Amino acid sequence: MKYAVVYYSETGNTQKVAEAIYDALPLGEKMLYQIKDLQTAPEADVYFVGFSIRNNTCGIETMNFLDQIEGGKVALFATCGFYPADGYREQLEHRLFVWLPERAKYLGMFLCQGRIQDAQADRIKQNMPKAEKQLIEMFIEGQGHPDEADMMAAKEFSEKIQKNAAEETISGMNPFYC
């Protein structure tokens, strides 16, 4: 099976997760790319597509990449400044469905917290002034992420997706988060 791990990373958080997913793939036909370095989507059987959360969705770079996928299977992974609580992940996943290619099978999503840039944290606090105390606590917690536990969870996600893709037993969403 041919795998492509493709990601867009602004702070390095998503790149760390991409590398953990890539490392968990079997030797052979596997590729690791930054979206900004690609002109077109590489051919693969399984795509792991990663990004940081922006405005409760993925960025335009990721949207454009997803639109290029002609078939195969797609698993998403993302880093975010917020705690990856069940409700947040589910809302995010549903917003992302619109960007998934109809020609591909969706395998699931991995979500983990990451550190957030100061300017972005300031914007979020301005938009949510009543939650400033909780946001500050969350942003402080995020400074240590993705951590070693997140990397292990990303590798487990990669292994789960590989197994599902190989067995062709995909049934709906397979969420995975740390």
Side-chain angles (χ1 to χ4, degrees), residues 2-8 14-15 17-25 29-35 38 42 44 46-50 65 75 77 158:
K2 194 172 184 178
Y3 298 95
V5 180
V6 182
Y7 66 94
Y8 186 83
T14 307
Q15 180 177 349
V17 175
E19 290 168 352
I21 289 171
Y22 177 82
D23 289 345
L25 294 171
E29 293 197 57
K30 62 181 184 175
M31 304 159 282
L32 178 65
Y33 299 104
Q34 290 190 52
I35 287 177
L38 292 172
V46 179
Y47 296 89
F48 288 89
V49 181
F65 176 78
F77 62 97
S158 178

Side-chain angles (χ1 to χ4, degrees), residues 6-137:
V6 182
Y7 66 94
Y8 186 83
S9 184
E10 295 176 45
T11 63
N13 294 337
T14 307
Q15 180 177 349
K16 288 178 185 178
V17 175
E19 290 168 352
I21 289 171
Y22 177 82
D23 289 345
L25 294 171
L27 294 176
E29 293 197 57
K30 62 181 184 175
M31 304 159 282
L32 178 65
Y33 299 104
Q34 290 190 52
I35 287 177
K36 66 181 180 179
D37 295 335
L38 292 172
Q39 298 297 318
T40 60
E43 287 189 33
D45 300 307
V46 179
Y47 296 89
F48 288 89
V49 181
F51 50 92
S52 58
I53 304 302
R54 285 194 251 155
N55 298 319
N56 293 313
T57 190
C58 59
I60 190 74
E61 306 85 1
T62 305
M63 293 173 195
N64 289 339
F65 176 78
L66 288 168
D67 192 49
Q68 295 176 19
I69 296 175
E70 294 296 326
K73 301 170 180 98
V74 176
L76 302 174
F77 62 97
T79 57
C80 62
F82 288 92
Y83 296 125
D86 285 336
Y88 179 71
R89 183 206 37 85
E90 290 168 358
Q91 292 171 10
L92 174 63
E93 196 167 32
H94 288 286
R95 277 193 291 285
L96 294 168
F97 283 150
V98 69
W99 305 115
L100 293 173
E102 291 181 19
R103 322 169 275 292
K105 291 184 182 178
Y106 177 65
L107 300 177
M109 181 177 192
F110 175 80
L111 178 63
C112 79
Q113 189 174 14
R115 72 181 181 280
I116 191 167
Q117 295 173 345
D118 291 340
Q120 187 178 10
D122 290 342
R123 281 193 304 275
I124 293 170
K125 287 186 283 186
Q126 285 178 339
N127 290 336
M128 301 172 70
K130 292 180 181 178
E132 184 171 357
K133 183 179 177 187
Q134 294 89 345
L135 290 170
I136 290 170
E137 290 173 9

